[in-house]
Amino acid sequence: MNAVVRVVTITALFGMFVPAAAAQEKIEADKLPQKVKDALKARFPGYMVTQATKELENGEVIYDVEMTVGGKKNEMDCKEDGTIVDIQLEIDPKNLPAAALNAIKAKYPGSTIKEVGEILVVKDKKETRDHYEVMIETADKKEMELTVSLDGKIE
């Protein structure tokens, strides 16, 4: 079974067990709570929201805000009270650590890295690099998103 079929199958299986409350609701940027807007402005001056959703995660309302800043794609998950949970920053693929790059090349020979997101987890207002989300095009021209740990393990 190829990886795409496995991902679709796993998603379909998990989808059956996800409670309806976990559904996403699109929300217009001007309808975001003021504290979320304040957090956006403080962390990402000059941002432009491209998409926002309101989600329920572990019983808590989270706003997932996708934006561009200086021509780069970024994303922020934020609680209603303005507490930032995590951030995804677009980085140049050439800035991906060697361990991650080598792991991708070994597992997916002939693939091309299309996009890299550096994931930062925020705790007590301190941002800590956690992992990378990497969009690749495989040698047979299929797009895949990979989660890659800091030390190069593909999850």
Side-chain angles (χ1 to χ4, degrees):
M1 183 181 312
N2 72 31
V4 174
V5 172
R6 280 194 301 251
V7 170
V8 170
T9 303
I10 289 168
T11 302
L13 287 172
F14 284 140
M16 291 188 294
F17 300 105
V18 174
Q24 295 181 353
E25 171 190 341
K26 281 194 175 189
I27 186 167
E28 296 298 319
D30 61 343
K31 303 284 190 231
L32 288 167
Q34 189 60 48
K35 289 183 178 184
V36 173
K37 290 183 202 175
D38 292 345
L40 273 166
K41 188 186 293 184
R43 177 58 180 87
F44 296 100
Y47 72 91
M48 178 170 294
V49 172
T50 55
Q51 181 176 321
T53 55
K54 180 180 177 181
E55 306 169 3
L56 193 60
E57 292 181 14
N58 302 317
E60 220 170 359
V61 173
I62 300 289
Y63 291 88
D64 180 2
V65 183
E66 296 177 19
M67 74 206 87
T68 56
V69 180
K72 294 202 176 250
K73 291 193 260 183
N74 296 291
E75 190 173 327
M76 178 182 85
D77 286 353
C78 189
K79 296 179 184 180
E80 283 183 296
D81 66 3
T83 302
I84 299 172
V85 177
D86 61 46
I87 295 170
Q88 177 174 330
L89 303 173
E90 180 181 10
I91 64 169
D92 191 308
K94 69 181 176 199
N95 293 331
L96 194 60
L101 186 58
N102 292 337
I104 293 167
K105 286 181 179 180
K107 189 164 184 175
Y108 300 98
S111 65
T112 304
I113 296 176
K114 295 296 196 178
E115 198 172 288
V116 178
E118 179 180 55
I119 309 302
L120 307 174
V121 173
V122 182
K123 186 169 175 129
D124 299 324
K125 298 186 180 184
K126 182 179 180 216
E127 297 176 8
T128 305
R129 185 178 302 124
D130 188 70
H131 65 277
Y132 298 94
E133 290 183 1
V134 182
M135 182 64 68
I136 66 167
E137 182 177 272
T138 61
D140 57 354
K141 303 294 182 201
K142 292 181 182 164
E143 282 201 352
M144 294 181 68
E145 183 175 294
L146 308 174
T147 299
V148 184
S149 67
L150 300 178
D151 62 357
K153 290 185 179 67
I154 298 174
E155 300 167 19

